Amino acid sequence: MALPRNIRNRASKFDKNVTKRGNVPIGKAAEHEDEFPVSKALIAFLLFVMVGSSLVQIFNMFKTAPIALNPEE
């Protein structure tokens, strides 16, 4: 049974496109610059918050630690 005309046209269009995949002109590939999705300022802010909170937690731990009056016991 023969395929309808629109299906044959789509199949031939797909067959032509299969051989073109992955072949990008050099100019298009060179234009693309890899940019980070997150800015450097945001990374610096998050790092500042994380380090600061860890330091506060360490200071609180030393402040609430029991003091040994007699180390010999």
Side-chain angles (χ1 to χ4, degrees):
M1 178 174 163
L3 294 174
R5 183 184 314 166
N6 61 351
I7 294 177
R8 282 190 310 236
N9 289 341
R10 280 192 247 155
S12 65
K13 189 176 182 180
F14 175 79
D15 288 338
K16 292 176 189 175
N17 191 26
V18 168
T19 58
K20 295 179 184 178
R21 290 184 183 172
N23 296 328
V24 179
I26 300 295
K28 291 287 183 186
E31 290 175 5
H32 181 69
E33 295 179 10
D34 292 333
E35 295 182 9
F36 294 114
V38 181
S39 69
K40 292 180 182 179
L42 183 61
I43 292 174
F45 174 73
L46 290 175
L47 186 63
F48 173 75
V49 169
M50 290 173 58
V51 170
S53 65
S54 63
L55 287 175
V56 168
Q57 189 173 6
I58 290 171
F59 291 147
N60 284 336
M61 183 178 66
F62 284 126
K63 187 169 64 172
T64 60
I67 299 173
L69 296 176
N70 262 336
E72 293 95 25
E73 293 180 6

